[in-house]
Amino acid sequence: MHPLYRQRRGGVLLHPTSLPGPLPRGQICHDAYRFIEWLQQCGIGVWQMLPLGPTHQDSSPYLALSAHAGDPKLISLDWLRDRHMLSNCPEVMDFQTHQQQLERAWKQFSKKKDRRLLQTWQQFKRDESDWLDDYSLFMALREQQGGDAWHHWPAALRDRDAATLKQTRDNLAERIEFHQFCQFIFFQQWQDLKAYAADNKVLLFGDMPIYVSYDSADVWAQRELFTLDSQGHPQQVAGVPPDYFSETGQRWGNPLYRWDIMEQDHFQWWQRRLQTQLQLFDIVRIDHFRGLQAYWSIPAKEETAIKGHWINAPGAKLLAALHTAFPNLPLVAEDLGMITEEVHVLRETFDLPGMKILQFAFDGDPNNSYLPHQHEFHSLVYTGTHDNDTSLGWYQQLPTETQNYIRDYLGLKTDREMPWPLIRCALASVSCLAVIPMQDLLALGSEYRMNTPGTIEGNWQWRFDWPQVPDELIQKLRHLLHLYGRL
């Protein structure tokens, strides 16, 4: 068991885009530091968030343009101003202006030639070149091609013709360097934030999607690792069969891995990917962990996930290689959905904690594994996740019979205090880490939900503002964390 899981802790789930701030989405700005201070005052030791990669138009953090890069939209211009890397910056209210100011910062950085920063910049480019070179070229090309996905590019670019790419690197050198600069600044800002969190005894908990986006630098640069044909079109795609969230399943559309090829070099692609995550986070969750034991393969021509089938994956070999490369890994398995005994065995073999979701607990079966009296220490308990409704919204939409069962289980006479009895239930659980979504701490309803799986509209937009956070919440949380040994 990793040392991080040997004591009881409390955590909060909040993606940085949900932080307050002047732009349409939150950033690594002063409010991120203020949030860490607020967590420390509450006695909360873990800040969990979603993936940090650059997103497509739908803003989904689970379909990023890179498995390594950080989202430039998260970059704080205040951080650049505070370090004299951006002067005469106007008030920025939209991402078009934000992009323009990043380009100004790049030009000022190039002209100033600060020796210390230049050395750090050159070192960053050397250390991260194995992904940064392809990513920055990919992004420059994407701009040149009007934002089109790589599989719609001219064949020579799509298929990475060596002579064409060499010429392209020369022609787009300035834009390539700009995208490298954005990554340099992102990682510098994030390391500062991570250090501040450590000073305040707050661990950063990240999320690594099991799959990468079809339209990503990773797939474009290493097509041989994915189930694509000679034209770059997917043959099979990822998803999950019909389940709690959707009657037709979920067709995610990610290309599947060619596990046989990945295994030949002991999963170097995965090792490098995890190395990046460990630079960013103290704890890493493997999203859709069950896909490491068996994955749902959907013919690419199918519009839904119904006609997929299960194929075994070499998860044991992969995890063994990762543990060899990174001893005592701080991993968490997202073991939700259609979980078989084989998935439990895989997780337990590598001593990874799984997840217990209270919103899944109250089906009337006293043997339901999500009920608190069924929990074990080596697990994480949540009231709900980013894919669930808020706990208040969930409760309000339940049938009366289920609400009565929940009140009976929690010992309630009325439901006016919800969702706090559910939060208290999570904190009282024997699970080593209890994570509460920020929406639940603010007792918000369904209109503040972060994501509805299987839909593409209206997701990833929720944000809080500081006036929503009552002053008494610090003492309330601190008391409960102390009461249940999680302070």
Side-chain angles (χ1 to χ4, degrees), residues 398-415:
L398 290 173
T400 301
E401 181 182 356
T402 307
Q403 289 183 343
N404 291 338
Y405 174 59
I406 292 172
R407 286 200 296 269
D408 191 20
Y409 188 93
L410 298 178
L412 301 178
K413 296 190 184 303
T414 70
D415 55 14

Side-chain angles (χ1 to χ4, degrees), residues 1-30:
M1 188 186 297
H2 192 279
L4 291 174
Y5 309 130
R6 292 177 186 165
Q7 69 180 78
R8 290 168 63 78
R9 286 183 170 90
V12 170
L13 173 59
L14 180 86
H15 197 45
T17 61
S18 295
L19 288 165
L23 283 166
R25 293 167 56 195
Q27 300 175 290
I28 319 169
C29 57
H30 294 155

Side-chain angles (χ1 to χ4, degrees), residues 57-70:
Q57 289 295 326
D58 65 359
S59 298
S60 171
Y62 291 90
L63 286 174
L65 291 159
S66 169
H68 296 273

